[in-house]
Amino acid sequence: MEAPILFAGGTGIVGREAVRAFRERHPSMPILIGGRDLARAQTLASEVGNASAIRIDIDRPRLGLGEADRLGAVVMTVPDEGLNGLVPAQDLGIPYLSMGNWLVEVGAEMAHFIRRPDASPVVLASHWHGGPAVFLTQVATADMDVVHSVAVGAVVDERDATGPAAVADMERGAEGGSGVWAFEDGRRVWLTGAAATREFRTLDGRALQGRAFSPYDIVSLQAMTRARSVRFDLATAESSNRSRGGSVATELIVEIEGELGGRPMRRRVTLEFGKGQAALTGLGGALALSTVLGLEGRPAYPPGLYFPERLMEADWYLSALKAAGAVIDLGEHDPSGPNRATTQEQGA
């Protein structure tokens, strides 16, 4: 029997969505749903099937598990503040995936990997929603000669169940420095005061005041595009989908400036997901997990340190999001003038 995948924090809002998304893709893979509340874990285990509940404590070594417990991977859907999920994964030589830490906290995970680089695959997937802004940018800049700037605007619907939690996490993510981290004119900067806010337009054209935020997307986008300026701003407001009379949704707006054929080029690419931010985050984590495990038609990944964009191809990833219902506008290039956003694609 295959060793089960442990979802630590699997009864939380994002954890539940990650469990469901993984189960939908891989019905036969055994799952362990770990949490403090065993009854809640058992309820979810019964719902998804081929799953068991287990009581864990993220503040205890090995999450409070015994030495004999068999695991196929450890997925932290909550902050691994004591690295009590990473250490046993390295001890067992199994994949580890973190979805709950912020960029300013990455040093501890990096140090553990550096000391034991051959122990296991370590996937840092705490990007916003698991990384779609990075994949959108990768596709949108593929033909550009130079990328000067990337600015991401994220909207969390004020009625989304995880809206307040997202705002609290944003505040926690800013505590590691004197502001929020970004790249500006080729240098790392801490944004404070007025510089930490930016106005951007939602999918339906409303102007929102976003507040700077520093998920892993900041460094992924800068390393991928080599843009001199990269920032990420988050706003909590009525989503465009709900303002049109639809359901609560989450949305991403990526604005890119660069050059193509010696001419200035601007692009705006967007994503809208009508099931809310937790569902999109859970899906992103499940895609990274199933890929590193070798469950998506390619071999499992060897020990190493990975971001989601190093595990998955952008076209495959975005297709998986569309299949789950995401609406993606890639803004095709018009060689006769400025970029025009013409193509909308929606999954089944």
Side-chain angles (χ1 to χ4, degrees):
M1 178 180 177
E2 292 181 287
I5 309 303
L6 172 64
F7 285 83
T11 58
I13 294 175
V14 171
R16 291 198 304 267
E17 297 296 342
V19 167
R20 289 167 179 155
F22 184 78
R23 169 54 72 236
E24 184 175 345
R25 296 188 73 83
H26 308 292
S28 64
M29 198 73 182
I31 289 173
L32 271 180
I33 300 170
R36 294 179 186 268
D37 188 332
L38 193 59
R40 289 178 62 188
Q42 289 171 334
T43 298
L44 182 59
S46 298
E47 174 195 326
V48 301
N50 194 20
S52 301
I54 188 169
R55 182 177 285 110
I56 64 169
D57 185 343
I58 61 172
D59 295 323
R60 293 178 59 193
R62 294 182 58 84
L63 305 173
L65 300 176
E67 295 287 341
D69 287 310
R70 294 176 63 249
L71 299 174
V74 175
V75 182
M76 297 297 301
T77 68
V78 292
D80 194 4
E81 293 176 345
L83 287 304
N84 292 318
L86 175 57
V87 171
Q90 289 183 306
D91 290 343
L92 295 168
I94 59 175
Y96 169 86
L97 187 142
S98 170
M99 297 174 61
N101 288 355
W102 294 125
L103 180 57
V104 294
E105 301 169 323
V106 72
E109 293 165 315
M110 296 282 288
H112 278 262
F113 173 78
I114 289 168
R115 286 186 64 85
R116 305 171 68 183
D118 299 322
S120 62
V122 174
V123 183
L124 305 181
S126 295
H127 300 63
W128 189 247
H129 296 325
V134 179
F135 289 100
L136 285 171
T137 303
Q138 183 175 337
V139 171
T141 60
D143 65 341
M144 281 183 157
D145 301 321
V146 181
V147 178
H148 295 308
S149 68
V150 180
V152 181
V155 180
V156 175
D157 194 292
E158 59 200 1
R159 294 185 183 175
D160 195 314
T162 52
V167 173
D169 268 352
M170 180 180 70
E171 294 171 351
R172 184 173 70 88
E175 291 175 356
S178 59
V180 181
W181 197 25
F183 285 88
E184 187 175 281
D185 196 26
R187 298 174 62 87
R188 289 177 291 200
V189 297
W190 290 100
L191 300 174
T192 60
T197 63
R198 179 175 68 92
E199 183 179 281
F200 63 89
R201 294 196 174 275
T202 62
L203 299 181
D204 59 359
R206 290 170 294 135
L208 289 185
Q209 192 76 3
R211 184 163 183 82
F213 185 40
S214 53
Y216 285 20
D217 304 62
I218 295 293
V219 292
S220 283
L221 288 168
Q222 199 280 331
M224 182 176 68
T225 66
R226 301 183 184 179
R228 291 179 60 81
S229 298
V230 178
R231 66 179 290 162
F232 192 112
D233 296 270
L234 176 65
T236 302
E238 182 181 46
S239 59
S240 299
N241 196 51
R242 189 160 65 84
S243 74
R244 296 192 297 263
S247 62
V248 165
T250 191
E251 57 193 84
L252 282 170
I253 301 96
V254 184
E255 296 169 298
I256 302 161
E257 293 186 0
E259 297 177 20
L260 177 61
R263 298 175 56 189
M265 172 62 58
R266 291 186 178 184
R267 285 187 176 156
R268 173 182 160 104
V269 295
T270 64
L271 179 148
E272 184 175 41
F273 194 67
K275 300 174 185 177
Q277 83 102 357
L280 184 54
T281 304
L283 174 58
L287 292 173
L289 173 64
S290 58
T291 301
V292 77
L293 288 170
L295 302 177
E296 296 292 347
R298 60 191 308 174
Y301 275 79
L305 185 64
Y306 302 100
F307 277 159
E309 66 269 21
R310 298 303 301 161
L311 295 173
M312 298 170 283
E313 295 177 354
D315 289 341
W316 178 87
Y317 179 90
L318 294 178
S319 292
L321 297 194
K322 287 186 284 184
V327 178
I328 296 174
D329 187 337
L330 295 177
E332 292 182 350
H333 167 56
D334 181 355
S336 64
N339 175 66
R340 72 175 189 277
T342 58
T343 304
Q344 280 202 332
E345 302 176 81
Q346 183 170 6

